[in-house]
């Protein structure tokens, strides 16, 4: 079984996890249920004959994102409404898990600037709880979500894992602290954790109304509903956008192949400005919107682009879905999904 929650690493040792193993194996996940990763992770694991346990506190998510899984995979899918800050609750949820994928976090840069204490409580204390519970219960490996935000505004591009961390927000700082704890767990206890530094993930199921929503779903839904997309700043800030299916694939590759202690960029190696993004969306949607500009936000980095060479060498990671194709799939989901929601009301 696999549990979705987090990743630990052992420096200097190689640990692998067979995700095509026995049908009674458990994968455990700690997730935000509005996460675009969720169903993609679950279905891919369940289709391999594995069992899945999802852990989430429902603070921002919806159980609708899990609809149909229990019926489709009877006896192999579980959900627990649990907060990763509840240390004592995690051990029984991790029992029997071979792999833990830790995705739960406060991911909003702006929210972390407004309430750094809460960000630390969730992202650092909560993650440490995950690491400790995984080690105590004999989990084979933890893979956890870090962020490209740890690089800060270093002008050097592309971002390489060997570059020094320079976080500009409490969110970025919390994720870097998690990486430090992961390395310590490997050095001190021989417990394997792998950190994946996600660049800008997008795809279906992102909630555009959420404080945690990324720019792509916000732009798509505004443009689909006849409203001008809003850009904070001049629009020349760049991002390395990566489709959610590619990120899921990277997690599986990391669980199976990554050496303990690995820290890897998960991006595409290409970047687009927000002005370019609006132009590409206009082409996809056959619209002619011009963005509205607002004041730049505190904590946002200016430019971001991944060097993905390390992930390619360590786990053979090559994003299978291009940015353009991922954008088309995402637009189509929002177009049909919004209509389906309207029809059901």
């Amino acid at each position: 079984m696999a549990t979705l929650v987090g990743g630990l690493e052992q420096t200097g040792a190689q640990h692998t996890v067979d995700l095509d193993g026995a049908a009674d194996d458990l994968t455990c996940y700690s997730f935000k249920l509005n996460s675009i990763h969720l169903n993609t992770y679950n279905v891919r694991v369940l289709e391999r004959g594995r069992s899945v346990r999802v852990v989430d506190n429902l603070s921002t998510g919806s159980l609708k994102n899990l609809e149909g899984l229990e019926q489709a995979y009877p006896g192999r899918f579980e959900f627990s409404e649990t907060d990763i800050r509840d240390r004592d609750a995690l051990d029984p949820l991790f029992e029997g898990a071979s792999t833990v994928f830790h995705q739960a976090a406060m991911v909003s840069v702006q929210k972390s600037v407004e309430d750094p204490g809460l960000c630390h409580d969730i992202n650092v204390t909560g993650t440490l709880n995950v690491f400790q519970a995984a080690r105590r219960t004999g989990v084979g490996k933890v893979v956890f979500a870090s962020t490209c935000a740890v690089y800060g505004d270093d002008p050097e591009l592309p971002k390489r894992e060997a570059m020094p961390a320079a976080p500009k927000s409490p969110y970025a700082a919390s994720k870097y602290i998690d990486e430090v704890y992961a390395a310590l767990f490997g050095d001190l206890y021989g417990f394997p954790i792998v950190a994946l530094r996600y660049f800008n993930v997008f795809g279906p199921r992102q909630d555009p109304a959420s404080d945690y929503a990324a720019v792509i779903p916000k732009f798509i839904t505004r443009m689909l509903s006849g409203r001008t997309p809003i850009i904070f700043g001049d629009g020349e800030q760049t991002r390395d956008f990566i489709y959610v299916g590619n990120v899921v694939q990277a997690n599986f590759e990391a669980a199976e192949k990554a050496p303990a202690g690995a820290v890897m960029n998960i991006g595409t190696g290409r970047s687009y400005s927000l002005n370019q993004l609006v132009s590409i969306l206009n082409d996809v949607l056959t619209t002619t919107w011009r963005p509205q500009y607002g004041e730049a936000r505190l904590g946002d980095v200016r430019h971001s682009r991944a060097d993905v060479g390390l992930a390619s060498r360590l786990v053979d990671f090559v994003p299978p879905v291009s940015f353009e194709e991922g954008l088309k799939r995402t637009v189509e989901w929002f177009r049909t999904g919004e209509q389906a929601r309207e029809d059901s009301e």
Side-chain angles (χ1 to χ4, degrees), residues 323-342:
F323 169 69
E324 292 81 5
E325 176 60 28
L327 204 58
K328 289 177 183 177
R329 295 182 187 182
T330 305
V331 166
E332 184 60 24
W333 186 90
F334 276 100
R335 181 182 275 136
T336 58
E338 289 296 330
Q339 183 62 50
R341 282 188 287 275
E342 289 175 8

Side-chain angles (χ1 to χ4, degrees), residues 89 121 142 208-209 232 238 256 276 287 322 326 342:
D121 194 27
V142 182
F232 295 98
T238 59
E256 293 174 350
Q276 287 177 309
T287 54
S322 70
E342 289 175 8

Side-chain angles (χ1 to χ4, degrees), residues 138-154:
V139 169
K141 193 180 213 176
V142 182
V143 179
F144 83 98
S146 187
T147 175
C148 62
V150 300
Y151 296 114
D153 255 345
D154 188 323

Side-chain angles (χ1 to χ4, degrees), residues 69-83:
L69 290 178
E70 287 189 71
Q71 293 76 15
Y73 303 96
R76 292 199 289 116
F77 178 81
E78 304 172 30
F79 169 72
S80 174
E81 185 176 348
T82 302
D83 195 306

Side-chain angles (χ1 to χ4, degrees), residues 253-321:
E253 298 287 0
E256 293 174 350
K257 304 174 185 177
V263 177
M264 296 180 289
N265 291 335
I266 302 300
T268 67
R270 299 169 61 192
S271 60
Y272 300 84
S273 73
L274 298 191
N275 287 328
Q276 287 177 309
L277 176 60
V278 172
S279 178
I280 294 169
L281 284 173
N282 272 326
D283 290 341
V284 173
L285 295 166
T286 63
T287 54
T288 57
W289 290 105
R290 298 184 64 181
Q292 173 185 334
Y293 296 95
E295 186 176 349
R297 298 184 299 188
L298 290 174
D300 280 350
V301 300
R302 182 66 175 170
H303 298 293
S304 186
R305 175 162 54 91
D307 182 325
V308 294
L310 183 62
S312 176
R313 292 192 299 273
L314 291 181
V315 301
D316 304 313
F317 175 65
V318 178
V321 180

Side-chain angles (χ1 to χ4, degrees), residues 139-268:
V139 169
K141 193 180 213 176
V142 182
V143 179
F144 83 98
S146 187
T147 175
C148 62
V150 300
Y151 296 114
D153 255 345
D154 188 323
E156 182 180 342
L157 292 174
K159 306 299 185 184
R160 296 172 290 102
E161 293 86 351
M163 294 170 61
K168 286 190 63 181
S169 67
Y171 165 68
S174 72
K175 286 296 186 177
Y176 183 64
I177 293 169
D178 292 344
E179 291 184 6
V180 172
Y181 268 120
L184 284 173
F185 268 67
D187 291 341
L188 296 175
Y189 312 121
F191 190 74
I193 308 174
V194 174
L196 302 183
R197 290 179 174 174
Y198 295 169
F199 279 66
N200 292 79
V201 184
F202 73 95
R205 297 183 182 276
Q206 283 180 308
D207 181 1
S210 168
D211 290 331
Y212 295 91
V215 66
I216 287 180
K218 286 182 179 291
F219 281 7
I220 290 173
T221 52
R222 288 187 68 88
M223 294 166 78
L224 280 173
S225 63
R227 293 178 294 162
T228 304
I230 298 174
I231 292 177
F232 295 98
D234 62 8
E236 289 305 298
Q237 60 266 50
T238 59
R239 298 291 182 266
D240 186 334
F241 296 107
I242 180 167
Y243 183 64
V244 61
N246 298 334
V247 174
V248 172
Q249 184 64 32
N251 273 263
F252 288 156
E253 298 287 0
E256 293 174 350
K257 304 174 185 177
V263 177
M264 296 180 289
N265 291 335
I266 302 300
T268 67

